[in-house]
Amino acid sequence: MNQIGRPVAVASVDDFMARTRQHLGASVVLLDRDFELVAYGAESIEVPEDHAQSAVRQATDVDSRNWIVDCGIAYATRPVRTPANGNTGSRARICLPVRHGGKTYGFLFVLPGENASISDRELEELMPLAAQAGALLAADTSGNGRLAGAFADLLEGDPDRSSAAAEHLRAADDVNDAEFTMLATDHASIDRRSGVTAVPMGRLTAVFVAQRHSSSSALRSAIDSYSGEGSVVGVGGTYSDLRDARKSWRQARLCLDVIALEPSRGPVAYWDRLGVYRLAAIASAELIAEAVVTPAVRALFEHRNRDLLSTAEAFFDNAGDIAATTGALSIHRQTLYYRLRRIQELTTLDLSIGQDRLELHVGLALGKLVGGRS
């Protein structure tokens, strides 16, 4: 289910290079932060090998390196177009910084053909992919590089690839079938500690936490570590079969979607405590919207007086307690009674009837999550 738009995870550097080359229709060279060659992608399989080697040399020779560094690429956070330099023979270049967690881990050089042009918009569209490549290079630096591709298949690959990745990870002794929980976080850290494996997954970090002997201390420690510095954490369910890691990961991501729409539920949200929001994991957003955003619910979502919507939400959040609702909204009791009457008139629902209350409560709660709110 696609709740809040998220880029598809790049499973490997080769995957990143292929997508970039296809997007731009140009050859690309990826260098690490020490300007060592990581990967090269030719515009076409018909490009001769000597041309490919020449293109790589053009991006990595010492004179060119010094010139483009002077142009500010080492600290850039957006695409940089460096001009030609007649003194060094350096050509005009296009460079995308490859960053993760506020640090530069490499540089992607774009080598368009003689008569090709690449727009600023096309370059900007590549920045999310460049950020994922930065996460992969950061993983290599921390020693987790070889895990990134396997975890991408385990958590987001098709069922066959996921099962194969589970067998590979189990055989390689990288993870085990002790009880485990998946975390999803926007925290940039990819440290690996005993019993904890963290790998980049697109704009998020996936954290596998093993809980040997059903101990919760490792999980608590990991949650505390990754929820600091303003980050948010979604906590999936706990399982013992590695093949269920994709299920726990999906649950953890849904928790982040809920936090994004209801910040008061963060910075840590647990799948086991989501209540009615868990329904959003079992069907598409469109199907859920059709089921729960009834005409009555839609009328309240779309009414120009937003006070009525916030009043209904506060009323349900406080279990229909008048005193608690007036306190939460800082309004007079008579004002609350007036608004509740207006809500009933607008929706044609009777809030004294359990079924009507349930329709409106579930519709408002899930409607926000699946895009039912205008």
Side-chain angles (χ1 to χ4, degrees):
M1 177 181 181
N2 182 20
Q3 296 290 347
I4 296 175
R6 58 172 66 86
V8 176
V10 170
S12 66
V13 168
D14 288 341
D15 185 17
F16 163 69
M17 296 296 281
R19 295 191 198 192
T20 302
R21 187 181 66 245
Q22 181 180 19
H23 178 76
L24 296 178
S27 298
V28 286
V29 176
L30 179 62
L31 309 180
D32 65 19
R33 56 189 173 190
D34 295 320
F35 284 82
E36 295 294 329
L37 178 64
V38 176
Y40 170 74
E43 176 184 359
S44 167
I45 59 173
E46 300 174 356
V47 174
E49 184 178 352
D50 59 345
H51 176 79
Q53 293 174 347
S54 174
V56 173
R57 287 196 299 272
Q58 291 170 19
T60 58
D61 66 88
V62 175
D63 289 339
S64 295
R65 178 192 310 180
N66 293 338
W67 168 244
I68 58 182
V69 167
D70 289 342
C71 291
I73 68 165
Y75 303 102
T77 58
R78 312 308 305 171
V80 176
R81 295 179 185 267
T82 63
N85 186 331
N87 294 328
T88 64
S90 300
R91 299 182 181 183
R93 305 284 170 78
I94 300 174
C95 176
L96 276 71
V98 178
R99 295 169 57 82
H100 178 72
K103 298 179 180 179
T104 299
Y105 285 92
F107 309 95
L108 179 75
F109 288 94
V110 182
L111 310 174
E114 292 293 331
N115 299 316
S117 62
I118 296 175
S119 69
D120 291 342
R121 179 183 60 80
E122 289 174 307
L123 295 175
E124 286 293 339
E125 288 172 349
L126 273 179
M127 290 308 294
L129 285 182
Q132 294 190 50
L136 292 172
L137 294 184
D140 281 330
T141 301
S142 70
N144 270 1
R146 68 188 181 86
L147 292 177
F151 262 91
D153 285 341
L154 176 70
L155 302 180
E156 296 191 353
D158 60 47
D160 289 340
R161 289 172 62 191
S162 181
S163 294
E167 292 302 321
H168 170 75
L169 290 168
R170 190 181 294 114
D173 202 30
D174 286 313
V175 295
N176 55 59
D177 276 337
E179 284 195 341
F180 65 87
T181 304
M182 291 301 309
L183 310 183
T185 176
D186 59 357
H187 198 291
S189 172
I190 52 172
D191 295 335
R192 187 180 186 187
R193 295 167 289 162
S194 177
V196 178
T197 303
V199 295
M201 291 291 292
R203 65 178 178 84
L204 302 176
T205 297
V207 186
F208 178 97
V209 185
Q211 300 178 71
R212 295 176 178 84
H213 311 299
S214 301
S215 171
S216 62
S217 59
L219 180 61
R220 183 69 264 167
S221 176
I223 292 172
D224 290 343
S225 174
Y226 284 96
S227 60
E229 302 175 8
S231 295
V232 292
V233 176
V235 184
T238 297
Y239 299 92
S240 58
D241 187 333
L242 195 55
R243 290 171 297 183
D244 288 325
R246 60 190 289 114
K247 184 188 300 182
S248 184
W249 169 243
R250 183 175 66 246
Q251 296 164 353
R253 291 201 328 261
L254 179 65
C255 291
L256 293 187
D257 293 339
V258 172
I259 294 175
L261 290 165
E262 295 285 350
S264 63
R265 294 182 178 270
V268 180
Y270 295 80
W271 169 254
D272 293 339
R273 304 175 192 174
L274 280 189
V276 71
Y277 287 112
R278 295 175 64 168
L279 292 175
I282 64 175
S284 70
E286 291 75 16
L287 288 176
I288 292 176
E290 289 178 10
V292 303
V293 184
T294 62
V297 174
R298 172 108 23 220
L300 191 53
F301 271 145
E302 296 181 350
H303 195 268
R304 64 181 182 277
N305 185 351
R306 311 309 290 173
D307 287 342
L308 297 183
L309 176 60
S310 60
T311 296
E313 291 173 332
F315 180 71
F316 291 128
D317 286 344
N318 289 282
D321 186 290
I322 296 298
T325 304
T326 56
L329 296 172
S330 298
I331 59 175
H332 192 274
R333 182 182 292 258
Q334 292 304 316
T335 302
L336 175 59
Y337 287 140
Y338 168 76
R339 290 182 184 178
L340 292 176
R341 285 197 300 272
R342 289 288 295 120
I343 289 169
Q344 293 183 116
E345 293 169 359
L346 180 65
T347 62
T348 69
L349 296 176
D350 186 341
L351 296 182
S352 67
I353 298 175
Q355 188 66 32
D356 284 4
R357 284 200 310 274
L358 182 63
E359 176 183 336
L360 191 57
H361 192 182
V362 172
L364 294 180
L366 286 183
K368 291 186 297 181
L369 192 64
V370 298
R373 174 183 250 166
S374 299

